[in-house]
Amino acid sequence: MKKFLVVALAFVSSLAVYAGGNPEHVAFPIAYKADFIAYDTRNRVNGKQVAVMYANKVALDSASSGKLAAGSKIIMEVYKPKKDEDGKPVIGANGVFEKAKLAAVAVMEKREAWDAGFAAKDRAGDWGFAIYNPDGTPKENNLECATCHTPMPDNDFMFSYSSLVNFSR
């Protein structure tokens, strides 16, 4: 019985580690810097990081249709901001924090049909999520990506949808 509890606890802990997404279902696109187009750089909603947003060709081609097509992939490089001597983020001329170290790479992927093993509660609409270290290995985190994106169906569950639409025109 004790062995069962240890195994069960380890299993539940492993699920919590990747609460921000599921790298088993949303793969890291190794060549995204070459294959995707950067369409926006902005401060993250949390006010503590700067993000560079990339989209694949499917996303760019379907952006103005009101909903991105299945096969769309969005990458968000998450950078720590440069800090001044008081520890506050340094703001660039465009109002966006100056980038320091790359901290994570978040991936959103849209599919019409997901594997049954990828629970609907871990997705926002048809979007799946995963967060990776800069080297492409899965990143341990406690974020719940789908929770933040789910309230945004009018923007196809994206914080940067209007930027992508404007860029694609």
Side-chain angles (χ1 to χ4, degrees):
M1 180 67 168
K2 186 176 180 181
K3 184 177 180 180
F4 171 77
L5 289 175
V6 169
V7 170
L9 181 59
F11 175 74
V12 170
S13 296
S14 72
L15 294 177
V17 167
Y18 296 113
N22 193 320
E24 291 179 21
H25 295 283
V26 180
F28 182 82
I30 295 168
Y32 78 88
K33 289 257 191 181
D35 297 341
F36 290 35
I37 303 292
Y39 68 89
D40 194 11
T41 299
R42 61 174 52 200
N43 294 336
R44 289 206 55 210
V45 174
N46 68 12
K48 298 177 182 178
Q49 298 163 323
V50 62
V52 178
M53 310 298 298
Y54 295 82
N56 70 352
K57 184 169 178 14
V58 174
L60 288 166
D61 290 348
S62 62
S64 61
S65 71
K67 240 181 140 175
L68 274 66
S72 293
K73 293 181 184 177
I74 304 295
I75 301 294
M76 179 175 63
E77 291 180 335
V78 180
Y79 290 86
K80 294 180 180 182
K82 288 183 182 175
K83 302 236 174 139
D84 64 18
E85 53 277 350
D86 295 328
K88 294 182 181 176
V90 175
I91 300 173
N94 59 0
V96 176
F97 300 147
E98 290 185 16
K99 296 183 296 189
K101 183 180 178 187
L102 179 60
V105 178
V107 181
M108 288 179 66
E109 181 177 346
K110 190 170 192 179
R111 293 188 200 168
E112 291 176 350
W114 287 96
D115 181 277
F118 191 18
K121 70 177 181 55
D122 294 329
R123 301 189 309 264
D126 291 333
W127 289 99
F129 307 88
I131 300 175
Y132 293 89
N133 290 304
D135 68 0
T137 58
K139 183 174 181 72
E140 293 182 17
N141 66 84
N142 61 358
L143 300 174
E144 294 184 9
C145 301
T147 300
C148 288
H149 287 265
T150 296
M152 303 170 51
D154 293 342
N155 293 322
D156 201 6
F157 304 98
M158 293 177 57
F159 287 93
S160 64
Y161 183 76
S162 62
S163 296
L164 180 60
V165 169
N166 290 336
F167 181 85
S168 69
R169 289 184 179 158

